Amino acid sequence: MPNGTLLLAPSRLRLTRTPGARRVIRGFAGSRLVGALAAPHGVDRYLELVLPSFSLYEPRAEIVDVDRRTPESVTLRLRPSEVWRGFQSGQFVSMTVEIDGVRHTRCYSPASSQHAADGKLEFTARTHPEGLVSRYLREDAHPGMVVELTQAGGDFVLPAPRPEHLLLISGGSGITPVMSMLRTLCDEGHDAPVTFLHYARHECDVAYRVELAELAGRHRNVRVAYVYTREPGGRLHGHFTRAQLRALEDRYRQAEVYVCGPPGLIEATRGLWARDGHPERVHSESFLQPRLPATPDEEAGSVRFAASDVQVSATGVTLLEQAEQAGLSPAFGCRMGICHTCTTRKLAGTVRNIYSGELSSCEEQAIQICVSVPAGDVELDL
Ligand code: FES
């Protein structure tokens, strides 16, 4: 049995699928008396011990299929619980798994259509050598395993009404939110031009080749092109350039662009449309943002973790990294300022946002410690 998974016993699963039983449990567990008895952890923390896939407030999902379709990724299909409120394509979800008794949270964007008829969610996680959760999911995820989710968040979404001309650009694992956008558009019967341009190092790294070919075959308005940066064989070759766009379509300047991937791809896309006088047409989501250079005050002063009674000297890294180096285990998800999992109360001091450079000096303020560095002495409620 793999370590730390939230396993679901078949008898319990049958119980939670009976509408009458679910109503009874919901009524009982949702009562104020039970809520008061469960404090401070909340009813769901206790329910998961007996009925892992059942919850009153926090969404959970049962893995129904695991597909290791490329050498460095795993694709999961999940059945979310009743409290899941759905998502818009392009948004992200935080997923929590327990590994060796420790809960770990990471952010993933569903790749499925927001209109999926079976209501299932699909996530593809790319594995990294140091990626604890992605490696765990690739090696140990199995049907029947239950994970915790948050409701979907993020504003990287398609507008309504849908644009007349769309260019979806992705690099590496940035394919998942734009794959969801393309699947959603196809489910809606969208018939205006959509070009899907994906950058990968090698052909074997592309997780959705079969589905993309199938969508392009069924929808005359959909065009798909791959660019491989480390081998020939794609429609185009090398890193993002204007010449590649020209080779792909004449009217690329008129397109509304949705791009997700590494910072270099996003900056190149933004720069190109800015030079053409239409920066507002580019909408982006990066899974690795470029950090502003450190300033001298980030390596001066001290950081005090008041709840743990630990004090360390500032080293110029984020408060999340500083806490981990001090042996603490704060919760985190995306580590890039999107999901708010790491939000912690700052009791005193000034912090700087590593992306915007913005300073925050208010006392008693909730901050995202994954994107905050101290600017002088700082005290956190951690
Ligand atoms: S870990 Fe996601 S915002 Fe900090």
Side-chain angles (χ1 to χ4, degrees), residues 213-291:
E214 198 259 333
L215 288 174
R218 270 197 296 128
H219 299 270
R220 290 179 52 198
N221 59 319
V222 174
R223 270 201 296 176
V224 176
Y226 302 105
V227 188
Y228 303 128
T229 53
R230 299 205 186 157
E231 69 180 20
R235 170 131 180 222
L236 304 160
H237 182 69
H239 293 282
F240 178 86
T241 62
R242 188 187 292 276
Q244 290 175 345
L245 289 178
R246 278 208 197 99
L248 207 56
E249 60 171 293
D250 306 332
R251 294 176 51 242
Y252 69 88
R253 284 193 177 89
Q254 279 80 55
E256 208 64 29
V257 186
Y258 287 79
V259 52
C260 182
L265 176 63
I266 291 182
E267 281 164 33
T269 308
R270 285 199 164 283
L272 196 143
W273 261 266
R275 285 194 293 282
D276 286 350
H278 292 292
E280 77 287 354
R281 291 196 182 148
V282 179
H283 314 270
S284 63
E285 180 104 302
S286 177
F287 48 77
L288 281 172
Q289 294 196 49
R291 186 190 154 154

Side-chain angles (χ1 to χ4, degrees), residues 107 320 331-343 368-371:
C107 282
L320 173 60
F332 67 86
C334 62
R335 298 185 82 102
M336 56 187 186
I338 296 176
C339 69
H340 294 269
T341 308
C342 67
T343 299
Q368 293 163 282
I369 58 173
C370 69
V371 292

Side-chain angles (χ1 to χ4, degrees), residues 93-164:
V93 175
S94 294
M95 179 192 294
T96 299
V97 295
E98 194 178 306
I99 305 172
D100 294 331
V102 180
R103 294 157 64 83
H104 298 270
T105 303
R106 297 291 184 273
C107 282
Y108 298 101
S109 291
S112 37
S113 164
Q114 69 184 59
H115 306 301
D118 61 5
K120 301 223 174 58
L121 290 169
E122 182 178 292
F123 296 98
T124 290
R126 175 147 174 240
T127 53
H128 303 276
E130 69 286 3
L132 177 72
V133 173
S134 57
R135 275 191 294 115
Y136 168 73
L137 290 173
R138 179 166 167 93
E139 287 160 21
D140 290 334
H142 56 275
M145 184 176 146
V146 174
V147 298
E148 290 178 33
L149 303 178
T150 59
Q151 300 291 355
D155 53 11
F156 182 62
V157 295
L158 292 170
R162 305 308 193 199
E164 273 306 299

